[in-house]
Amino acid sequence: MDYKSMQQTVCQTVKNVTPELVSLSQYLHQNPEIAFQEVKACAALVMLMEKHGFTVETNCCDIPTAFKARYNSGKPGPKIAFMAEYDALKGLGHACGHNIIAASSSGAAIALKSVLEETGGEVLLIGTPGEEGDGGKVFMADRGAFDDVDFALMMHPTTGTPQLGKISTACCDVRVFFTGKDAHSSRPENGVNALTAVIQTFNNIDKVRPLFALKDNINGVILDGGAQPNIIPGKAACAFTLRSLNLENLERLIEFLKQSVSAAEMLTGTTARFEFGGKFAEYYPNKPMLERFKLHGENFGENFCYADQSKMTGSSDVGNVSIRVPTIQENLSIGPLGVAAHSPAFAEASCSELGNQVCSKGASVLALTGLDLLTDENLRKEARESFEEQVPVSYRQSRK
């Protein structure tokens, strides 16, 4: 089978399974589950992949709602992984469109399987829960889920004109719990005020903020400051999101936070306990791979622009994959400019007719990009070289 015939087979397979993809997307949208609680979503995806001949490993990396579905041709060749996200936002449902991500990635894996006997190699669908939480990919990458993967791909719905090569920043969530001693406000000398320690922590952070790099930030909220104004609170808590351009700078921010907390402890006589979320790495979009995604997307009527890398962006755990293997997470549009992510309007767009169409379009564009990686040795070489140029040597992990 020549390349053109394989392209046609891939596209026809996507067309054939589109009703299943749309049904999956709608099911996830109607049954939103927050980070690491995606029991129904995981079961639905596992059932779909098993139906289409994939061998599925559940409880992947000791995460109950993570899985790895694979189909091996039995012939040598690269291992292409599509990543599925399927967690929702608390109170907002699928206001980031992860239902579409799950549908498009599963469709891409099924479609690429249809030509694998011709190309050789292996195709995987890796189910990565909790992107909106502490980041399933953070833990899965650390536990080796991508060690046997050569290239990793996914798409993300957006609104307006899709931006190519949009980077994301390093990020970490931290909670701090202060313990002091309760006392009645008429006898403050008998108490140790944990709320004062929280307030002092915020003040300390603001004092060192001029030392931050230009695009570094620590933003925080008070979670618990006591219940009654006439009681000196013996317990108080706060939470912070730390963002930086890269993991190295993020570690520096974490040290600033620790020092701010330590100073507050010393001043107030309280003790503090930290809870750290997963550390999201900055994302390195693989340039040769994204150009193929662009080519196939344009053939499906999508218009793209290139992202302005000077602008501050959000964070995604896909960065933790991109520092290990050549990776793309490119965008396709499901609505007009102005519909903000993490909003009720975006949740509505993710189950709209256009959103349904992107389930199929995304599957096709991803699968065709995967086909190029399977059949084009020069593309694979360029993608690996780009990875080595982009990703700092200090990040690269040894492969098993």
Side-chain angles (χ1 to χ4, degrees), residues 34-347:
I34 62 174
F36 300 109
Q37 298 180 28
E38 314 95 327
V39 176
K40 292 180 179 179
C42 181
L45 281 156
V46 167
M47 184 182 299
L48 176 66
M49 301 314 291
E50 288 180 336
K51 174 185 174 182
H52 286 277
F54 284 72
T55 300
V56 183
E57 171 195 353
T58 55
N59 194 37
C60 184
C61 299
D62 295 321
I63 301 173
T65 54
F67 68 89
K68 186 182 283 190
R70 68 174 72 234
Y71 184 87
N72 193 309
S73 66
K75 302 175 183 178
K79 297 180 179 181
I80 311 296
F82 300 101
M83 296 174 285
E85 296 175 0
Y86 33 89
D87 62 321
L89 289 152
K90 187 174 182 179
L92 286 172
H94 279 284
C96 207
H98 290 187
N99 56 311
I100 295 174
I101 294 174
S104 63
S105 286
S106 57
I110 293 166
L112 199 58
K113 170 184 174 283
S114 68
V115 296
L116 213 63
E117 299 303 325
E118 296 286 334
T119 64
E122 184 173 325
V123 61
L124 302 94
L125 178 70
I126 301 181
T128 63
E131 193 276 337
E132 299 291 355
D134 284 338
K137 297 182 199 67
V138 175
F139 305 112
M140 294 179 75
D142 285 346
R143 296 172 189 177
F146 296 89
D147 285 357
D148 63 345
V149 169
D150 292 305
F151 305 96
L153 305 86
M154 64 179 289
M155 59 75 57
H156 200 295
T158 189
T159 56
T161 302
Q163 298 182 47
L164 288 164
K166 188 175 181 180
I167 62 171
S168 63
T169 55
C171 176
C172 182
D173 287 338
V174 184
R175 295 191 176 205
V176 187
F177 300 86
F178 285 96
T179 299
K181 182 181 177 182
D182 290 324
H184 196 276
S185 62
S186 64
R187 300 292 300 274
E189 68 274 15
N190 292 335
V192 177
N193 197 322
L195 176 58
T196 298
V198 166
I199 294 171
Q200 189 60 45
T201 296
F202 279 85
N203 291 338
N204 291 343
I205 291 169
D206 285 339
K207 289 173 184 175
V208 297
R209 198 176 294 276
L211 302 177
F212 293 179
L214 286 177
K215 293 191 176 182
D216 288 354
N217 189 38
I218 299 179
N219 184 68
V221 294
I222 296 176
L223 300 176
D224 178 13
Q228 298 293 333
N230 66 335
I231 299 296
I232 303 297
K235 293 186 182 298
C238 47
F240 300 93
T241 294
L242 289 67
R243 295 188 190 276
S244 186
L245 286 179
N246 55 56
L247 283 175
E248 183 178 351
N249 282 354
L250 184 66
E251 292 293 345
R252 189 164 177 259
L253 276 185
I254 290 172
E255 285 305 310
F256 277 134
L257 176 61
K258 287 180 177 179
Q259 291 166 12
S260 297
V261 170
S262 178
E265 286 179 295
M266 293 176 62
L267 179 67
T268 62
T270 57
T271 58
R273 175 175 62 86
F274 292 90
E275 285 186 2
F276 289 90
K279 294 177 185 176
F280 288 39
E282 67 272 24
Y283 166 51
Y284 293 91
N286 188 268
K287 295 174 183 177
M289 290 168 62
L290 74 83
E291 288 298 333
R292 291 299 180 99
F293 184 96
K294 175 178 181 287
L295 173 66
H296 296 302
E298 288 173 341
N299 289 336
F300 276 85
E302 197 76 55
N303 295 312
F304 296 97
C305 66
Y306 288 93
D308 181 353
Q309 307 292 23
S310 67
K311 291 185 177 179
M312 193 70 170
T313 62
S315 304
S316 170
D317 60 3
V318 75
N320 297 69
V321 182
S322 76
I323 65 174
R324 287 168 169 81
V325 298
T327 301
I328 57 169
Q329 177 188 248
E330 296 307 318
N331 296 325
L332 294 175
S333 182
I334 62 170
L337 183 66
V339 177
H342 291 202
S343 71
F346 200 99

Side-chain angles (χ1 to χ4, degrees), residues 360-375:
S360 177
K361 181 190 291 187
S364 296
V365 175
L366 285 171
L368 290 169
T369 306
L371 176 62
D372 287 349
L373 288 164
L374 286 173
T375 58

